[in-house]
Amino acid sequence: MAHSSGPIEAGLFPARTTAVSGNLFAAVAVFLWAAGFPAAEGLLEIMDPISLITIRIAIACCVMVPMWWVADRASIFRAPWGWGLTMGGATFGLGTFLLLLAQDLTDAITVAIVAALTPLVAASIEMFFGRRRFTRTLAVGLGVALAGGVISIGGNLTFEFGLGAFLVVLAGAFFMLGSHLAVDALPHLSPIGRATLPFVGGFVLLSILWLIARPLGWTEVPDRMLTVDEWSMMAIYAIGAMALSQIFFVTSIGKIGVTMASFHMNVAPLYVMLIMVALGAAWSWPQAIGGAVVVFGAIYVQSRD
């Protein structure tokens, strides 16, 4: 070649391209994930959380498994199925159920606001395992985020909000742990495989839970066919907000890491509020201000890492 920039062409531009594409995948993943909250609001009016989350993950797996076959072909049979099913059930299975249960106790915007704490939860998990020290920055970030949660509900703390917030934080811990394990422990699989195998494990766990809950009367399946609008909400909730969102998110983690990918979750409350308003919900300034405070707390911690 007559002119070559050497390290610039071979190093800087590919790295920059990877960062741009990684952030783009994360942004799309979080938007799709946020769109699932308004959809779940309508679906929770016609069925219980256990049935809804089981149907959701079943549909998601029906979409993801064929995509995985196209990507990896026969190599899917050589995947660590035992470990993947166990890990997926214990992380994504429990996490998705707890998140929906939290929304059933509160509402879509509140759950999205508290979910913005997920990056701080990830930092706390790293601290627990000795990979991060408890610093003043982390303490300030957690305090600011907690204040934002109180502001978002107008200061009216209730048992339902407290329990719902706890469940969201716990679900976030399961999600971050599962995503990290999927990327680190399954490097030989494609991004679709890393996303799909744990979700199949989640489906197995939730199916067992539903089979136990059904005879006990804890589930309430609709006694009619779903309408076109309800099926549309289910498609958004299961395919967009779960299947495609997780594939994009795991792909993003592989490119820019779990910390930078989780950074995009800070914008989820804004997405949810805008979607809810577009669907006819009233704009809530306490929720908007509280959400902004929570996001500020998360950004403050990450910007000082």
Side-chain angles (χ1 to χ4, degrees):
M1 295 178 65
H3 296 84
S4 176
S5 300
I8 294 179
E9 290 185 358
L12 178 59
F13 287 161
R16 182 176 298 172
T17 300
T18 299
V20 171
S21 63
N23 280 284
L24 181 60
F25 275 117
V28 174
V30 172
F31 179 79
L32 291 173
W33 182 68
F37 289 106
E41 283 287 287
L43 294 171
L44 281 170
E45 296 179 0
I46 61 174
M47 66 181 73
D48 64 279
I50 298 177
S51 297
L52 176 55
I53 198 61
T54 304
I55 294 172
R56 179 196 194 191
I57 201 167
I59 295 174
C61 287
C62 286
V63 172
M64 297 169 78
V65 170
M67 293 176 66
W68 184 16
W69 171 261
V70 171
D72 290 355
R73 294 295 179 179
S75 62
I76 69 174
F77 298 115
R78 296 189 295 273
W81 280 92
W83 184 90
L85 294 177
T86 303
M87 181 275 289
T91 56
F92 293 111
L94 290 176
T96 52
F97 173 67
L98 293 177
L99 194 65
L100 182 61
L101 184 58
Q103 184 169 344
D104 191 40
L105 291 170
T106 56
D107 60 74
I109 296 177
T110 298
V111 171
I113 290 173
V114 180
L117 290 171
T118 299
L120 300 185
V121 174
S124 300
I125 291 175
E126 289 180 339
M127 181 189 68
F128 178 80
F129 285 106
R131 297 178 182 177
R132 177 190 294 266
R133 293 184 298 107
F134 185 78
T135 63
R136 184 174 62 180
T137 298
L138 182 58
V140 171
L142 289 170
V144 170
L146 179 61
V150 175
I151 293 172
S152 69
I153 60 169
N156 298 318
L157 289 173
T158 63
F159 174 76
E160 286 78 10
F161 173 81
L163 179 58
F166 172 75
L167 293 178
V168 173
V169 172
L170 187 58
F174 283 130
F175 286 142
M176 288 299 100
L177 179 60
S179 296
H180 177 74
L181 291 174
V183 171
D184 275 10
L186 303 171
H188 56 290
L189 297 183
S190 66
I192 295 178
R194 294 179 208 144
T196 303
L197 180 54
F199 265 41
V200 175
F203 167 68
V204 172
L205 177 70
L206 290 170
S207 296
I208 295 173
L209 178 62
W210 186 87
L211 290 173
I212 295 173
R214 183 63 178 164
L216 296 176
W218 296 349
T219 62
E220 185 179 351
V221 180
D223 55 1
R224 58 172 176 79
M225 292 291 294
L226 299 184
T227 66
V228 174
D229 288 342
E230 290 166 347
W231 274 117
S232 298
M233 288 189 290
M234 184 66 77
I236 293 172
Y237 189 49
I239 300 175
M242 177 168 273
L244 297 181
S245 175
Q246 183 62 15
I247 291 172
F248 289 151
F249 194 69
V250 170
T251 302
S252 172
I253 292 174
K255 291 177 176 291
I256 59 177
V258 67
T259 300
M260 288 304 299
S262 65
F263 183 87
H264 287 265
M265 295 184 69
N266 298 329
V267 193
L270 175 61
Y271 292 154
V272 175
M273 282 187 278
L274 292 177
I275 293 172
M276 294 292 287
V277 170
L279 293 175
W283 178 265
S284 171
W285 279 111
Q287 287 184 323
I289 296 173
V293 173
V294 171
V295 170
F296 173 77
I299 292 176
Y300 174 76
V301 172
Q302 294 170 78
S303 65
R304 293 176 177 267
D305 277 347

